[in-house]
Amino acid sequence: MSVTKHRDKDIGFVEIDNPPVNAIGQAVRQGLLDAVRWAEQERLTRVILTGHGRAFAAGADAREFDGAPIEPHLPDVLNAIETSDVPWVAAINGVALGGGAEIAMACRMRIIAPGAQIGLPEVTLGVIPGAGGTVRLPRLVGLSDALEIITTGKPLVAADALRTGLVHAVEDDPVDAALAIPGETLACIVPTRELPAPKTDISLIAAAREKVAAKSRGQVAALRAIDVIEHGLDKPFGQALSMERAVFLELRSGEQARALRHVFFAERAAKAPDWLRSDPAEIARVAVVGGGTMGAGIAYALSNAGLTVTLVETDAEGAARATDNVARIIETSLGRGLIDRAGADDRRRRIGVTDDYSAAGGARLAIEAAFESMDVKRAVFARLSEALPSDAILATNTSYLDIDEIAASLPDPTRVLGLHFFAPAHIMKLLEIVRGAKTSDAALATGFALAKRLRKVPVLAGVCDGFIGNRILSRYREAADTLLIDGSTPSAVDAAMVEFGYAMGPYEAQDLSGLEIAHANRRRQDATRDPQRRYVPIADRLVALGRLGKKTGAGWYRYSDTGTRIEDPIVTDIVLAEARSAGVSRTVFSAEDIRDRLVLAMINEACDILHEGIAQSAADIDLVTVFGYGFPRWRGGLLHHADTLGAAEIVRRLGALSLEDPVAWKISPVLLECANDNLELAKWTRAPR
């Protein structure tokens, strides 16, 4: 049963029961509508509505969004609840999101458990609330809070829900509290639809639009939500609901909503592959080697998950730096309210820092996060192999290096895999799990189990230079440097990609991370670089001048004492000098030209990654680009976006570019196959070998 109901004397109890999260599909909507009629026929004095399990109702069933709306529609169900002669009380026992929050707002009273959350996250799926959220919420919490809640999509914890007036009480047992409400108190509470709408405040609305435009460039849902809220303030309740519903249905079928649903479902599906049947190792203690920014972040992430960590450095001085790095993360998390004092103390207890490998002897998993050098990593793995049990799993966090070469130096290479975290490791959700040629299924299963425990998005990758994400990133930067020497500027390239939806362009991002990282990788590739492939040495010139990015005050840009980015004529001079040396006749590239070339370069590289089996699916590449590299989520990830362009159109554009440079723009066999067969990249699979 999707909705269950029973009565005890004159009180009705209705429970949404649609595991795992009580999504509000057609059966739930029909069950609630039937419950309204049942309560009226039974002449009950109240109905207490709750959810089975740990959720009240976690929103609409997004799987229905790709088809026509199915009756009964949620707005009609909520109108029936709100206008019923029998008052309903929402006993919010767990998350009440989207339609779940809208159901609660249609009830006469709302009582929430201390650990529950309530909110309207619809804009994160490219739509707006579609069952009265934009109309009822302002009446309950006021215009300012309603604008913030709806445009950010962030749920409220119980205390904040009470503070804003969204709920009437916070109680340990909401059902018992709902039972205890005096009948006369319940009778005096005005239904939400009868509350007056707040007055229009032009300044508040303008500020909300400005904030959304700055934070959600290119996205339409939040701005449309503001429009609907504003227009509904001076309209009759029913007319405001109709306007909201029309915009919701329009956005639901739009490109951005489809893209965001794609990412939503891809993230939910990210897990160990079906063929992986081995049991993971039981992990309670983890060794992390390297206490720099990355290693400290990994250690902190592990402690967040309740694991005990031994953080190993090379000497006492390194251990002291590692201790400071961990302390800094803990204090930052404490300052941001992510943990309390007790949580901070717990993490300090869980992370022990040492320069003695033998102290890590009880770990069943080790994660190496040392300097990106093959010699360094092989030395670390040799010491780990000696210090840890023979069945302990050894993982490397390398971004580019050959995991098979690292593993070959050990007596048992089956123990080795890649766990490629992204900085900052305790915040970024992506985890590339890299399978070497001899990596055992047990090691892989342990990697996926760890990802789940850390609440990371796991993506299986094969061994190549850069795996999935960094290989695409390298091609992106190569294409950007080619544009630079051929006629563009760092600021023009960055601006074009920010307009596309990135938080920052490739040059600003390099200045933030440090130019020496990519420089070291280019030097590593010198011996194997294709002599026919064009090489642009501008970044090498900057590094030679000590311009390593923001941390040195200059990189692709110059930075003021306050950190303000300034275009630097020195960079312009270097670009022009290199163009003259290469015999380049510089031309002008429009923002559209820049975006087109950079996005096509990434798509083509991603398709080669698919073709080689480095990535298992287009959806995996979408997850990597969204969660690891800032590709705009509302475009659905790199290859979802490619499917909106169409393989045939991409092949046509790449064909034109290949006339300029047949090596760099060689068209991927996957794209050619999809263009010839009129096939989406999302549906492409490798032929059996």
Side-chain angles (χ1 to χ4, degrees), residues 390-455:
S390 60
D391 61 346
I393 292 162
L394 307 180
T396 174
N397 182 58
T398 182
S399 302
Y400 292 96
L401 298 181
D402 188 339
I403 290 174
D404 292 333
E405 187 176 342
I406 296 172
S409 64
L410 297 177
D412 181 9
T414 67
R415 305 163 64 188
V416 179
L417 79 160
L419 292 177
H420 181 210
F421 290 80
F422 291 74
H426 57 291
I427 294 174
M428 296 290 281
K429 292 184 69 174
L430 179 66
L431 180 62
E432 283 185 322
I433 299 177
V434 188
R435 183 189 190 192
K438 295 187 177 181
T439 301
S440 69
D441 284 0
L444 273 184
T446 303
F448 278 97
L450 181 68
K452 183 177 181 180
R453 187 162 182 175
L454 297 178
R455 298 184 178 179

Side-chain angles (χ1 to χ4, degrees), residues 230-447:
E230 179 183 17
H231 293 156
L233 294 176
D234 59 357
K235 299 289 189 300
F237 187 85
Q239 192 174 335
L241 285 180
S242 296
M243 184 188 312
E244 175 198 74
R245 186 67 176 175
V247 173
F248 165 78
L249 292 175
E250 174 197 336
L251 292 175
R252 190 179 85 158
S253 61
E255 196 170 280
Q256 288 192 10
R258 285 197 297 271
L260 289 163
R261 287 199 297 276
H262 166 70
V263 175
F264 173 77
F265 286 119
E267 182 181 0
R268 287 179 61 181
K271 58 181 178 60
D274 292 339
W275 53 260
L276 187 59
R277 301 303 177 92
S278 291
D279 293 328
E282 292 290 335
I283 302 296
R285 177 183 295 273
V286 181
V288 177
V289 180
T293 302
M294 178 60 78
I298 293 172
Y300 182 78
L302 294 166
S303 73
N304 277 344
L307 294 163
T308 300
V309 184
T310 303
L311 184 54
V312 184
E313 261 292 351
T314 54
D315 52 31
E317 186 178 343
R321 286 194 302 269
T323 300
D324 289 343
N325 289 337
V326 171
R328 196 174 301 115
I329 296 173
I330 291 173
E331 288 303 316
T332 299
S333 299
L334 188 62
R336 293 177 59 193
L338 301 176
I339 56 175
D340 57 17
R341 279 290 171 193
D345 291 342
D346 176 68
R347 284 153 181 80
R348 291 188 188 98
R349 284 192 298 269
R350 288 185 179 279
I351 302 173
V353 183
T354 181
D355 60 358
D356 181 3
Y357 274 77
S358 66
R364 297 291 307 282
L365 169 67
I367 302 172
E368 167 275 314
F371 182 69
E372 196 78 340
S373 157
M374 181 60 73
D375 290 340
V376 169
K377 293 186 184 295
R378 278 195 287 213
V380 167
F381 270 73
R383 297 191 68 178
L384 286 171
S385 182
E386 293 174 357
L388 270 60
S390 60
D391 61 346
I393 292 162
L394 307 180
T396 174
N397 182 58
T398 182
S399 302
Y400 292 96
L401 298 181
D402 188 339
I403 290 174
D404 292 333
E405 187 176 342
I406 296 172
S409 64
L410 297 177
D412 181 9
T414 67
R415 305 163 64 188
V416 179
L417 79 160
L419 292 177
H420 181 210
F421 290 80
F422 291 74
H426 57 291
I427 294 174
M428 296 290 281
K429 292 184 69 174
L430 179 66
L431 180 62
E432 283 185 322
I433 299 177
V434 188
R435 183 189 190 192
K438 295 187 177 181
T439 301
S440 69
D441 284 0
L444 273 184
T446 303

Side-chain angles (χ1 to χ4, degrees), residues 97-289:
L97 302 177
E102 289 174 309
I103 290 172
M105 286 189 282
C107 293
R108 194 71 60 88
M109 282 191 72
R110 290 158 295 284
I111 302 173
I112 191 169
Q117 294 185 336
I118 183 169
L120 295 167
E122 283 85 351
V123 295
T124 65
L125 286 176
V127 295
I128 67 170
T134 66
V135 185
R136 291 187 176 93
L137 188 64
R139 286 165 163 77
L140 291 170
V141 305
L143 182 57
S144 178
D145 282 333
L147 287 167
E148 176 72 11
I149 292 166
I150 290 173
T151 60
T152 64
K154 294 178 181 177
L156 301 180
V157 297
D160 288 337
L162 181 63
R163 173 187 57 79
T164 61
L166 180 51
V167 301
H168 295 84
V170 179
E171 298 286 352
D172 289 334
D173 190 328
V175 174
D176 279 354
L179 274 169
I181 300 168
E184 57 271 22
T185 299
L186 191 56
C188 291
I189 295 177
V190 177
T192 308
R193 68 188 299 123
E194 296 178 15
L195 295 172
K199 292 182 179 179
T200 300
D201 186 325
I202 298 301
S203 61
L204 269 181
I205 292 169
R209 284 200 176 95
E210 185 177 347
K211 184 177 179 181
V212 166
K215 286 194 169 185
S216 307
R217 182 187 297 270
Q219 299 180 61
V220 299
L223 288 173
R224 294 296 299 277
I226 295 172
D227 292 342
V228 170
I229 292 169
E230 179 183 17
H231 293 156
L233 294 176
D234 59 357
K235 299 289 189 300
F237 187 85
Q239 192 174 335
L241 285 180
S242 296
M243 184 188 312
E244 175 198 74
R245 186 67 176 175
V247 173
F248 165 78
L249 292 175
E250 174 197 336
L251 292 175
R252 190 179 85 158
S253 61
E255 196 170 280
Q256 288 192 10
R258 285 197 297 271
L260 289 163
R261 287 199 297 276
H262 166 70
V263 175
F264 173 77
F265 286 119
E267 182 181 0
R268 287 179 61 181
K271 58 181 178 60
D274 292 339
W275 53 260
L276 187 59
R277 301 303 177 92
S278 291
D279 293 328
E282 292 290 335
I283 302 296
R285 177 183 295 273
V286 181
V288 177
V289 180

Side-chain angles (χ1 to χ4, degrees), residues 10 12 25 54 89 94 159 227 259 340 371 542:
D10 60 349
R54 294 189 296 175
V89 181
D227 292 342
D340 57 17
F371 182 69
L542 297 181

Side-chain angles (χ1 to χ4, degrees), residues 36 53 78 106 141 146 201 322 482 541 617:
V36 173
L78 302 195
V141 305
D201 186 325
T482 303
R541 293 275 305 273
S617 67

